[in-house]
Amino acid sequence: MNAYIFPGQGAQFSGMGLDLYENAPEAQHLFEDANEILGFNITDIMFEGTAEALKETKVTQPAIFLHSVILAKTLGESFKPDMVAGHSLGEFSALVANGALTFKDGLRLVSQRAKAMQKACEIQPSTMAAVLGLEDKVVEDICAKTEGIVVAANYNCPGQLVISGEIDAINRACEAMKEAGARRALVLPVGGAFHSPMMEPAREELAAAIENTNFSKPNCPIYQNVTANAVIKEAEIKKNLISQLTAPVRWTQSVQQMIADGATLFTEVGPGKVLQGLVKKINREAQTAAAKIETKA
């Protein structure tokens, strides 16, 4: 069974999407539509902008979404997912790819999500940290015992968790992780505590937008971050999407469940190869690939 997976924030690079724009007429139309929907020329920043310009949340999230979704749409007949999943932001790309959301609605929601997250980051300084070499339970226990807000945010693969919360609490937790034997506990260069209770203002703002957006019956299940299980009902998809901003990304558990449900090939659709690497760390036997553009004359 073919599983298609979609990356999240951090996968961006200067020049992203230019090959799609130059080689696929359908991609050109979609990129131009995106400029109109967003109200600024995101293509200029994606194709020619600096890494610094691409780092701004209101640009990064739509840019990665566009690269992933437009690539999926240029795959033509070869794009036949039996199941999909996306890491954090990538969940929106996956929902367009499996027909639950239109391109336009998906892009609008991603743009609103990015702005809401940026606003939440400005309310109170917060951050995230990568913890390597500890079991999930040990990380969770240290977070629970640490004073202040700090939670497990991204279960990326066994032995690689990201924690999220208040700056002081993250620093305290990192010290405790090292004392507990972590190979590394490193504060990340991010603008806020994503997938933590500190994103509650953004969750509330996004909830209204999601509730007012029409979702269709998807053509295959999506394994959502919040539950790590196959979801096909529109109401459940919406509910999980709203919870996602303050809940952890259960990527390890999602991939394990997809394999249990019959996934034999994981194809990453979008910039970078991060998810392919994580899948291999979760299960060495899993087959992975990168989606490639089908050019049209």
Side-chain angles (χ1 to χ4, degrees), residues 58-222:
K58 73 167 189 178
V59 174
T60 313
Q61 293 194 20
I64 292 167
F65 168 88
L66 288 170
H67 190 289
S68 295
V69 169
I70 293 173
L71 175 56
K73 286 184 180 292
T74 62
L75 294 176
E77 290 302 304
S78 68
F79 185 71
K80 289 190 179 123
D82 296 305
M83 53 181 81
V84 295
H87 191 289
S88 188
L89 157 73
E91 196 156 279
F92 289 83
S93 310
L95 286 167
V96 175
N98 79 350
L101 277 173
T102 65
F103 172 77
K104 189 179 278 190
D105 284 340
L107 181 56
R108 282 189 176 134
L109 284 178
V110 165
S111 179
Q112 283 171 293
R113 178 184 190 264
K115 288 172 187 167
M117 286 170 80
Q118 188 62 47
K119 269 196 264 177
C121 292
E122 286 159 10
I123 291 168
Q124 188 181 351
S126 55
T127 193
M128 302 175 84
V131 180
L132 306 183
L134 284 182
E135 287 182 18
D136 294 358
K137 182 78 171 68
V138 177
V139 175
E140 290 163 356
D141 287 348
I142 290 171
C143 286
K145 288 174 192 163
T146 302
E147 189 188 335
I149 298 171
V150 55
V151 296
N154 294 351
Y155 293 80
N156 286 333
C157 66
Q160 188 192 122
L161 256 78
V162 175
I163 59 173
S164 184
E166 295 168 326
I167 292 171
D168 288 347
I170 289 283
N171 289 332
R172 280 192 290 270
C174 283
E175 286 311 307
M177 303 283 178
K178 287 173 194 166
E179 283 168 22
R183 203 163 70 246
R184 291 186 82 179
L186 183 73
V187 176
L188 298 170
V190 295
F194 305 139
H195 303 288
S196 84
M198 301 189 76
M199 284 292 118
E200 182 57 30
R203 189 198 68 78
E204 286 174 13
E205 198 173 319
L206 192 63
I210 288 171
E211 291 295 359
N212 291 323
T213 299
N214 182 51
F215 282 63
S216 302
K217 187 173 172 55
N219 51 41
C220 71
I222 178 165

Side-chain angles (χ1 to χ4, degrees), residues 17-35 37 43 47 66-79 96-97 102-104 292-297:
L18 184 57
D19 58 333
L20 296 173
Y21 187 89
E22 290 178 340
N23 288 296
E26 187 186 3
Q28 286 183 19
H29 296 310
L30 289 169
F31 275 122
E32 277 150 22
D33 286 350
N35 286 338
I37 293 163
T43 48
F47 303 163
L66 288 170
H67 190 289
S68 295
V69 169
I70 293 173
L71 175 56
K73 286 184 180 292
T74 62
L75 294 176
E77 290 302 304
S78 68
F79 185 71
V96 175
T102 65
F103 172 77
K104 189 179 278 190
K292 298 236 173 22
I293 183 176
E294 266 189 17
T295 55
K296 294 174 187 172

